[in-house]
Amino acid sequence: MKHIYTSVDIGSNTIKIVVFELYKNKLNLLAASSVKSEGIKKGVITNFEEASMSMTRAFNDVEQMLGIKINKVVASVPSYFADYIKVQDSIEINNEEQVVTGKDISNVLEKAVKSKLTPNREMVTVIPIDFMVDGGALVKDPKGLQGSTLSVRAILVTTPSKNIYSVVNLIENVGVEVIDISLNSIGDISTFRNETIDKCVGAIINIGSETTNITLYNKSIPVKSAILQFGGKNIENDIAYMYKVDSTTANNLKEQLALAHKKYASPSEYREVKDIYGNEKKISQLEISEIVMSRIEEILSMTKEEI
């Protein structure tokens, strides 16, 4: 049986869908689509009908590439008001051989989170920190170890129920079932995870279209997240204001000319554009990069304060 998975990310600027196959423990991309999102502001669905139309276009695009119908997805939801709660508990290992199985791991995790779940909040996932058998050494994977007691420490991740229901309703409205959910903050850590991140405490900053996501992690495990109401749109607004151009021109200048730091910019590279009054303007890469750099410094300064 082929293991094919589809994930959808609902952003303020675009809705992205990726389809991939898990083969020999590696993910192989099969198709991807990205369409302009309407009816979504700062990660929140503000117009259900417009958002549904955008979602339909995204699915149509990827289905045309694959030639198949997408029926089920994993949805990535914003980490607004997410909680990361440390939990721990123990169970008795009851099988005759007293060997830890996957079932035992599921049972101890279920017991650890059971008393921590509250009304109006939904569990997104539980992330194991480590396990211990009969008070012995801490291990990441206890399967196959022998003992009478299995203990766990883990992080329970929850989010307000309304954050999930709005996304689930939107996706199911276009005829697709949501079989699992994840937080954007967890995806950010997974994207950049390496040996260094597995050993240290740090933060990942994801500057999006209208918001900036900050995720603190401890040895690749998320422990806190926050969302700032600033992003790439603020950079476009600065460019539009400074050069008196429309938003489309400002976006093109940002993506095709500007750099994040002026020290890499060339004063001899430029673009000619018309402003909103019909006047021709000559914009150098160095000049526009100074504007972009100023806004990015402000966003990163606010991010540092939040951390």
Side-chain angles (χ1 to χ4, degrees), residues 100-110 131 141-143 150:
V100 178
T101 65
K103 178 69 173 176
D104 295 315
I105 293 173
S106 296
N107 289 342
V108 74
L109 288 170
E110 184 177 347
F131 297 88
D141 185 359
K143 287 196 299 291
L150 174 65

Side-chain angles (χ1 to χ4, degrees), residues 83 114-123 158-162 165:
D83 283 339
K114 191 173 183 179
S115 63
K116 301 296 183 180
L117 298 175
T118 58
N120 302 320
R121 296 193 69 85
E122 294 286 333
M123 183 181 80
T158 69
T159 189
S161 300
K162 63 180 182 180
Y165 295 155

Side-chain angles (χ1 to χ4, degrees), residues 47-58:
N47 187 308
F48 192 84
E49 289 186 6
E50 290 182 354
S52 293
M53 292 175 63
S54 299
M55 183 69 67
T56 300
R57 288 197 302 271

